[in-house]
């Protein structure tokens, strides 16, 4: 029998690669790959292993994953304030979920590298003009202009440097005191007291405050406790643009294994998860924790085959299956998948993306999602896993810290006629900060029922 060639970072090149840009000048793309290959890694192998262990805890039902951030990060949005505010929402949501679940929450941002988008259609209409679809700032500009949409490989270098500076500030904020739990609790109290809807969560918020005061009362010095003021926030993005990912793969000097060093966690999207495709082939060779999105067309045997391919050594935390089935379909579609995977014996973390199968376009032409559908898919996710006896291990959300009007509903209800006010996303509609926190409180209520 022929022995398969060992995996190397470029192995994907012999497989069909969907959704890749057609660089007008292949030599320019090659030069960028060379340069990226010389630049330092963004993350190191030991961190990826630590995240696998943390996610492994979630596989066993001893932790919960909160993965959230932009649909597409923007090259125009790299200020310190923007990064701080994004982190702040993630920490606020996490504090609420930790309390609701009485479990550690593994915090993973769609941040510091989420610069490419898969698109179903190769063209889109913007203001009456037909243009190549926007595929993310690592590939081209979002300007509605045919010349601006020509893929430019130099943008991959800019994506790298923006990811570096974003991650640098995240590391500083999460270890430098900004993430202090008492501070996060103050922000949550502000949310609760600043609107009638927020008051619905006064009980949970007050309980968290009491828990902190209780710890202080029994002599725990909150100012001195590392767990109170330092957190781990991990980075993630869709590993779509393989010309970017390949040169950032590095061999770990301590184990000799390959690691994708563009982020701690990478996933394959619904459009590029073919078993024999380039993206799954790429993820199969790196040791990072990885994810796969699963839409309503996913079949149980196909999902088990993906589990075999991506987690042959059956490492808990290595593989996260992110279902995005739709609020109306989740109850019917998820249990057969969860049963088949459970029977295979391969450990996976189940996470719910309640965004991508609940998107629709309003008569005014805005792509949007209803808060209630998002919540309903999460409820269906919990109910399905309860039915099968598997652990509903996390959520995967598109959120922003800005006060945008992109999704409908939520505590300070966004109505259809208001979508125009601040519709700013580069791609899909995101929950704004209040809607995100509102959702965290709702999920915390659901978690209290199961833990
Ligand atoms: C996304 O997460 O932004 C995305 C495109 O998701 P999916 O691959 O599930 O459609
Ligand atoms: Co999206």
């Amino acid at each position: 029998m022929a022995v398969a060639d060992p995996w190397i970072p470029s192995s994907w090149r012999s497989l069909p690669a969907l959704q890749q840009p057609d660089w007008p000048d292949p030599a320019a793309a090659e030069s960028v790959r060379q340069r990226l290959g010389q630049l330092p890694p963004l993350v190191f192998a030991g961190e990826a292993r630590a995240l696998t262990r943390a996610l492994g805890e979630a596989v066993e039902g001893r932790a919960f994953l909160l993965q959230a951030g932009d649909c597409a990060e923007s090259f125009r949005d790299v200020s310190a304030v923007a990064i701080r505010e994004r982190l702040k929402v993630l920490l606020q949501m996490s504090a609420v979920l930790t309390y609701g679940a009485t479990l550690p929450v593994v915090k993973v941002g769609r941040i510091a590298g989420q610069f490419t988008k898969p698109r179903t259609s190769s063209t889109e209409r913007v203001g009456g003009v037909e243009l190549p679809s926007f595929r993310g700032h690592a590939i081209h500009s979002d300007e509605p202009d045919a010349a601006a949409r020509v893929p430019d490989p130099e943008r991959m270098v800019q994506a790298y440097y923006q990811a570096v500076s974003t991650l640098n500030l995240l590391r500083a904020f999460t270890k430098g005191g900004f993430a202090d739990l008492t501070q996060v609790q103050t922000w949550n109290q502000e949310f609760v007291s600043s609107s009638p809807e927020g008051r619905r969560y006064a009980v949970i918020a007050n309980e968290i405050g009491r828990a902190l005061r209780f710890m202080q009362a029994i002599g725990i010095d909150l100012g001195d406790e590392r767990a109170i003021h330092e957190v781990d926030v991990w980075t993630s993005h869709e590993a779509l643009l393989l010309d970017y990912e390949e040169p950032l793969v590095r061999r770990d000097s301590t184990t000799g294994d390959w690691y994708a060093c563009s982020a701690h966690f990478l996933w394959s999207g619904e459009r590029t998860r073919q078993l024999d495709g380039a993206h799954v082939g790429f993820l199969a060779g790196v040791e990072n924790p990885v994810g796969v999105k699963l839409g309503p067309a996913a079949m149980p045997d196909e999902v088990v085959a993906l589990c075999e391919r991506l987690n042959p050594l059956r490492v808990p935390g290595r593989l996260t299956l992110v279902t995005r089935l739709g609020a109306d379909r989740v109850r019917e579609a998820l249990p057969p998948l969860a049963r088949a995977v459970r029977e295979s014996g391969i450990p996976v973390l189940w996470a719910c993306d309640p965004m991508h199968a609940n998107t629709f376009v309003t008569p005014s032409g805005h792509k949007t999602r209803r808060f209630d559908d998002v919540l309903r898919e999460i409820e269906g996710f919990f109910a399905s896993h309860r039915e099968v006896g598997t652990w509903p291990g996390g959520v995967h959300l598109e959120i922003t810290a800005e006060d945008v009007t992109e999704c409908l509903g939520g505590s300070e209800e966004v109505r259809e006629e208001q979508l125009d006010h601040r519709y700013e996303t580069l791609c899909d509609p995101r929950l704004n900060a209040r809607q995100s926190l509102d959702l965290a409180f709702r999920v915390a209520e659901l978690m209290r029922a199961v833990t």
Side-chain angles (χ1 to χ4, degrees), residues 189-416:
Q189 292 282 13
E190 278 163 21
F191 167 78
V192 166
S193 58
S194 67
S195 76
E197 296 81 0
R199 293 208 189 103
R200 171 178 173 171
Y201 309 120
V203 174
I204 288 197
N206 289 338
E207 284 178 14
I208 299 176
R210 283 184 72 83
L212 286 170
R213 288 196 297 279
F214 171 76
M215 288 196 291
Q216 232 159 358
I218 61 170
I220 297 175
D221 181 354
L222 298 186
D224 201 38
E225 193 57 48
R226 187 184 166 272
I228 298 279
H229 54 242
E230 285 187 19
V231 293
D232 289 324
V233 172
W234 312 95
T235 59
S236 74
H237 61 261
E238 179 173 349
L240 181 67
L241 180 56
L242 296 174
D243 277 334
Y244 178 75
E245 300 301 337
E246 178 191 323
L248 291 171
V249 173
R250 304 295 159 86
R251 209 190 258 283
D252 173 29
S253 57
T254 58
T255 61
D257 290 332
W258 294 108
Y259 281 85
C261 294
S262 62
H264 300 110
F265 178 104
L266 295 177
W267 76 87
S268 161
E270 161 71 0
R271 294 164 191 76
T272 52
R273 62 169 171 79
Q274 299 75 22
L275 192 58
D276 298 317
H279 293 84
V280 169
F282 177 81
L283 292 181
V286 296
E287 295 290 320
N288 306 57
V290 299
V292 180
K293 295 284 203 88
L294 299 174
M299 287 295 152
D301 49 354
E302 169 194 20
V303 174
V304 171
L306 279 167
C307 295
E308 293 281 3
R309 178 111 169 85
L310 290 170
N311 196 6
L313 301 179
R314 292 164 155 66
V315 178
R318 152 72 177 171
L319 180 60
T320 299
L321 297 177
V322 186
T323 55
R324 26 88 86 220
L325 301 164
D328 293 333
R329 307 199 46 178
V330 57
R331 285 300 283 119
E332 170 201 348
L334 182 50
L337 301 181
R339 274 194 196 98
V341 173
R342 191 191 53 196
E343 275 156 30
S344 77
I346 302 173
V348 306
L349 177 61
W350 290 100
C352 173
D353 165 359
M355 319 297 294
H356 285 90
N358 294 311
T359 315
F360 66 99
V361 179
T362 63
S364 60
H366 292 99
K367 214 201 243 191
T368 191
R369 293 156 176 161
R370 286 192 191 89
F371 181 89
D372 288 348
D373 291 340
V374 168
L375 185 60
R376 212 151 47 82
E377 179 155 356
I378 297 176
E379 284 166 353
F381 170 80
F382 274 84
S384 299
H385 284 293
R386 192 176 321 125
E387 179 190 317
V388 179
T390 37
W391 171 244
V395 288
H396 181 123
L397 308 167
E398 286 185 346
I399 66 166
T400 174
E402 298 295 314
D403 193 15
V404 299
T405 54
E406 298 171 4
C407 290
L408 299 168
S411 67
E412 265 176 14
E413 191 175 358
V414 175
R415 293 187 308 276
E416 201 164 319

